[in-house]
Amino acid sequence: MAAILLLLLQQKLYAQHTCTGTVFDKMNMPVASATVNLQHSGIYTLTDSVGNFSIILNKQTDTLLISHVGYKPVLIAAGKAKKPLIIILTDEVNPLNEVVVIGYGTTTRKLNTGSTANITADEIEKQPVANPLAAMAGRIPGLTVTQNNGVPGSFYHVLVRGQSSLTQGSEPLFVIDGVPYAPNNTPANQLSSAAASFAGGGLSPFNSINPADIESIDVLKDADATAIYGSRGANGVILITTKKGSAGKTAFTANVYTGISTVTRTMSLLNTQQYLQMRHEAFANDSVVPAIYNAPDLLVWDTTRYTDFKKLLIGGTAHTTDVQAALTGGNNNTQFLISGTCHKETTVYPGHLADNRGAVNLNLNHTSADQKLTVTVSAMYSADKNAINATDLTRYINLAPDAPQLYDSTGKLNWQQGGVVFYNPLSYLYETYTAQTDNLLSNLALTYRVLPHFTVKVSMGYNTYTLTETSTIPIAAQNPAYNPKGYAAFAGNNFKTWIVEPQATYSNTFGKYRIDLLAGGTWQKTINNYTSLSADGYSNDALLGSIGAASTITVDGNDASDYRYQAVFGRITINRAGKYILNFSGRRDGSSRFGPGRQYAGFGAAGAAWIFSTAPFIRTALPFLSYGKLRASYGTTGNDQIGDYQYLDTWSSSYYTYQHTHGLYPTRLFNANYGWEVNRKADAAVELGFFQDRILLIADYYINRSSNALIQYQLPLQTGFASVLKNFSATVQNSGLEVSLTSKNITGKNFSWSTSLNLTLPRNKLIAFPGLAASAYANRYVVGKSINLIKGYGFLGVNPQTGVFEFNDVNKDGKLDANDLMLLGDLDPKYYGGFLNIISCKGFEAEVFFEFRKQTGKNFLSSVYNPYGYPPGAMGNQPVEVLQRWQTSGDVTPVQKFSTTYGTTAYTALNYLGSS
């Protein structure tokens, strides 16, 4: 009896025993928010920010279960432990445990309440791309990435869930290591020749970012994910995180790859015999006798010659060479990374034009011995020299195939034959265009744990982006018959931005509830200075680089802008037992782009998630369902991508002088009454995992509405101005369904096969536009339709009797004009996505990726009447499809008869159609 009483007394005394310990990962870094569960008791606690925990044990046989998302659970017999426990967690590979970067923090895919997607360094490194934006194409649902052309360094247009603004910016916000990218995704070049070279889109500022330096790219899409960025995140946010050092022995890695590129698909053009047949038939149809002035290709040039200008100008092979090297290492307290790259990419054009880039990335992480202070320093510098010529040679592939030889007997450019002057496309070999980019991005983050659950942080960043351009047209590139002079253009564009963001976080557990609080502020300033000038009248090509050697100097542009932004933001996240998550975020924004009284606005969002697969009845009814989550969000953001000083009176200097003095003239009216465009976003999704998460499915439906649209309001001519920026009650809606599917088809020891598929079904439409019919936008927009409409004349085909194209005269007034334009479609993608298969076999891996998109492009008629202005029959080559032309009365064909005439109604209509 005494022994029993003694045992009971021991158990009672033991019930007061408290077990303490610390949880680390395999790198000996503390694991915060790990669950420490006293098995079979319902009692649990969470580790603090440095991995410490404390829990009361009931008896000597008590066992602790320590678990955390991303790690394998560990069982510890803790009842007899006398000293604090040291517990090491090892990684568990599960896509649901992947860390997801969100605004000012991280979470996991499983616990995320917002709509986000990302690509990792592994996915980026497997793609031979020079621009990180290209690495995202087709891999993220809801994201479209479109390159203007295949010229190295050219611009990429990026949209997250469609175009939301009628006339203002719709690009997402780009943040690199916490620092907003100074130029964002805006072409930085100033010279118009560069814009021509890059098909109107200019140079991509992301061409100076080395993809190999990137650890991950996260895309934030819905309001829950973006509202904490306020107006800057109205069109989505793309967070780029660069690589960091890791603890361990100092390691050196290197990677070299090379590749080639060619133009794979082109239209087949007429050969010389077919071309001459077309020309003779065109003159016969027009009842015109060929003469030297209008038909040198028939009467002067060698009609037996054939030059394939398509092969000559764009038929070359582009070469890419890339060298990467990195040095990394450190211990548990300090880690470092030093990496560098050299990249060279040429073009399919003749000659040796190339884009060259060199970059270096430095990163240092340090944690104090007491785990309270963390310091992160990163710096990334790149220099890019793009020497791609300022002429897009594609425009010259339609030259007559019997054109004269391009070089004369002395080896110089040939400009005439038989007294007839022609343009020599190889003159571009003598022209030059160079864009020198220098990009520096640095960040310093200091984090200090004041109390076990309270941490403060300050993040400071600086980015400078400078682009210097030089374009020259030497005398040697011009026809000497015109006594030419040399010409040069110079431009400089510099962006500087600095940002300071203090933050405070509080995280603690109260019973079954985990509370995370975040509060912070933002101070940001961006300065942009640019200058553009042209110099003419050079008498010697050796002097082209000297501005002072020109006889005439003209300042084409010289301006500066100062953008200031400040905000306070906050977030509250409530997690109940890992099953129910609520997230509330908000931001109060201030922007210098609006007038007094309208510079500040508040935005916020709420998100909720329920992991229903943890419910016992779900596990019983659906044993194959290993994971299930429902989430939804709603919130507002405001767009301030309207440019600087739009509300002010602005003046510019006059090009002309009066009494040798340049005057000033007004360029914009004062209007401080306009305010923010407002984006309201709603999102609902279901996430499912089957068979121990071997199959993961996400279906996400969204509706985004942008209202209070900022567009140009047309003014009477008496004001002296054509328009003024003003808010309209117009509303644009983007909605759609995003589906993502990943599966591990085979997971053997020596063989594995996985598949990923994403599909987006978007829809864009104008919901409302009061007074549209009476506005200047009546022919541009239609309520209930997309804002990217294609309007043109209704094509009725080729008249079998006359052989001429006919179009629908809608108002039956006997002429084609703006009143006869019809809605022919829109330029929005009907669906898009990507399909990826990865197969691994005994150390070898093959990855096959397809990007697909269904989108309206130029129709057949536009390809016949090509954008360079040659109707079939004029002096310019054509696709072989024109051979289907009408020839005799009664022919039913898709192509009208050949003609040398430019001014026919049919040609005018089709030319308009091709440019719509």
Side-chain angles (χ1 to χ4, degrees), residues 585-621:
S585 59
R587 192 177 188 103
R588 179 70 175 176
D589 269 1
S591 173
S592 63
R593 289 172 174 165
F594 298 94
R598 296 179 179 269
Q599 294 177 329
Y600 293 90
F603 311 101
W610 172 36
I611 304 177
F612 61 85
S613 54
T614 58
F617 73 92
I618 293 294
R619 293 179 177 178
T620 302

Side-chain angles (χ1 to χ4, degrees), residues 663-744:
L664 296 175
Y665 67 96
T667 55
R668 185 183 296 116
L669 282 175
F670 176 79
N671 178 22
N673 295 323
Y674 64 79
W676 308 71
E677 289 189 341
V678 179
N679 289 10
R680 294 177 173 84
K681 302 181 179 183
D683 188 278
V686 58
E687 302 181 10
L688 303 173
F690 303 95
F691 309 112
Q692 300 302 313
D693 301 333
R694 290 190 61 173
I695 301 176
L696 293 174
L697 173 68
I698 302 176
D700 194 331
Y701 182 76
Y702 65 90
I703 299 178
N704 299 341
R705 287 192 173 184
S706 176
S707 57
N708 205 33
L710 279 168
I711 61 177
Q712 293 293 334
Y713 177 73
Q714 303 301 309
L715 296 175
L717 294 178
Q718 293 90 329
T719 64
F721 295 87
S723 62
V724 65
L725 196 63
K726 178 181 177 181
N727 289 106
F728 277 74
S729 298
T731 302
V732 178
Q733 175 177 292
N734 284 287
S735 60
L737 176 66
E738 300 170 357
V739 180
S740 298
L741 176 68
T742 59
S743 66
K744 299 177 181 178

Side-chain angles (χ1 to χ4, degrees), residues 10 148 161 169 182 209 234 314 338 349 383 422 476 480 507-508 575 580 630 642 654 657 757 850 889:
Q10 289 176 342
N148 282 18
R161 291 183 168 177
I209 303 295
I314 62 172
I338 304 174
Y349 297 160
F422 70 96
S507 301
N508 205 350
N575 183 337
Y580 308 97
L630 295 174
I642 60 174
S654 173
T657 62
L757 171 69
F850 297 95
S889 179

Side-chain angles (χ1 to χ4, degrees), residues 270-306:
L270 301 176
N271 59 34
T272 301
Q273 291 70 31
Q274 293 169 328
Y275 170 79
L276 296 175
Q277 178 187 2
M278 176 189 71
R279 290 282 284 153
H280 284 294
E281 187 175 318
F283 279 107
N285 290 337
D286 295 340
S287 299
V288 174
V289 178
I292 293 179
Y293 74 90
N294 62 6
D297 52 341
L298 300 180
L299 303 178
V300 179
W301 298 347
D302 183 357
T303 56
T304 64
R305 179 185 294 112
Y306 173 70

